[in-house]
Amino acid sequence: SQKIEQNSEALNIQEGKTATLTCNYTNYSPAYLQWYRQDPGRGPVFLLLIRENEKEKRKERLKVTFDTTLKQSLFHITASQPADSATYLCALDPSNTGTASKLTFGTGTRLQVTL
Amino acid sequence: DTGVSQNPRHKITKRGQNVTFRCDPISEHNRLYWYRQTLGQGPEFLTYFQNEAQLEKSRLLSDRFSAERPKGSFSTLEIQRTEQGDSAMYLCASTLSTGIETQYFGPGTRLLVL
């Protein structure tokens, strides 16, 4: 069966450290993968998209890697801040058409950054 | 505010009642999606429109659910004869169908069925 798995347990880290979140998928061949941030009671907000032919993508303190052999994406936040505390969702287009007909999301990982 | 808006933000209803939610997408976006999210889970796809055409419906969408997008602008999602299992956050998102596009989500409508 098709699955997208993210760490179900909350990740607690100290301010200034690097947070690393994992997204593993099974029985998909996505052309790209996206990461979203979701705060309590709000809709997801897009952060980064990485395509299958890209190994790594960066945006400010964020970095995403995509390993299609391992079927895994890693999401890193460097120099983390309490304001980074949120749930982070990975998502992919299950149809592999590359035309964003819909997204399938993982369950999300809650990140808590403490002082 | 030019983002995606949803109304109402919260809805409490009794089992068996009908409810209707509205989504106003970003004005130039021709694709509109509905998702449902329960506590501790990621959003689950329900249906999507390209302009006024409903192109795909999830198996999650029972006969009690219906969505429309008249004139390809705002969309409504109606749930008839609500059940307690319908309690969830209903999210709307929009995008342009020009290739790989990120989706822009609204704040959601939280439904509680008593």
Side-chain angles (χ1 to χ4, degrees), chain A residues 32 61 77 88 110 113:
Chain A
Y32 61 89
R61 293 184 297 111
I77 305 176
Y88 292 86
R110 190 163 66 85
V113 181

Side-chain angles (χ1 to χ4, degrees), chain A residues 36-45 47 82-89 110-111, chain B residues 9 37 89 91 106-107 110:
Chain A
Y36 287 77
R37 168 183 173 143
Q38 187 172 28
D39 291 287
R42 295 179 175 267
V45 174
L47 295 175
D84 296 326
S85 299
T87 295
Y88 292 86
L89 299 155
R110 190 163 66 85
L111 173 66
Chain B
R9 293 293 310 278
Q37 186 175 26
M89 173 80 89
L91 292 162
R110 182 167 294 283

Side-chain angles (χ1 to χ4, degrees), chain B residues 2 24 34 42 49 63 70 81 90:
Chain B
T2 57
D24 287 90
W34 285 98
F49 294 83
D63 292 344
R81 305 181 302 282
Y90 289 84

Side-chain angles (χ1 to χ4, degrees), chain A residues 9-34:
Chain A
E9 294 183 8
L11 179 63
N12 295 295
I13 65 165
Q14 200 172 20
E15 182 181 21
K17 302 292 186 183
T18 296
T20 298
L21 286 67
T22 305
C23 176
N24 294 297
Y25 57 92
T26 307
N27 292 327
Y28 289 109
S29 298
Y32 61 89
L33 192 143
Q34 302 184 27

Side-chain angles (χ1 to χ4, degrees), chain A residues 73-101:
Chain A
S73 176
L74 298 178
F75 177 81
H76 307 271
I77 305 176
T78 58
S80 58
Q81 306 166 359
D84 296 326
S85 299
T87 295
Y88 292 86
L89 299 155
C90 69
L92 53 81
D93 175 5
S95 68
N96 196 28
T97 61
T99 58
S101 61

Side-chain angles (χ1 to χ4, degrees), chain A residues 31-32 34 36 38 40-46 48-49 51 87 89 98-108, chain B residues 9 31 33 35 37 40-45 48 56 89 91 95 97 99-108 110:
Chain A
Y32 61 89
Q34 302 184 27
Y36 287 77
Q38 187 172 28
R42 295 179 175 267
V45 174
F46 170 76
L48 279 170
L49 180 151
R51 301 169 191 265
T87 295
L89 299 155
T99 58
S101 61
K102 63 186 177 189
L103 289 175
T104 296
F105 285 84
T107 54
Chain B
R9 293 293 310 278
R31 283 197 175 179
Y33 306 79
Y35 293 85
Q37 186 175 26
Q41 301 297 313
E44 293 177 296
F45 170 78
Y48 89 98
E56 187 173 349
M89 173 80 89
L91 292 162
T95 191
S97 61
I100 298 175
E101 291 288 345
T102 62
Q103 295 186 13
Y104 295 83
F105 282 82
R110 182 167 294 283

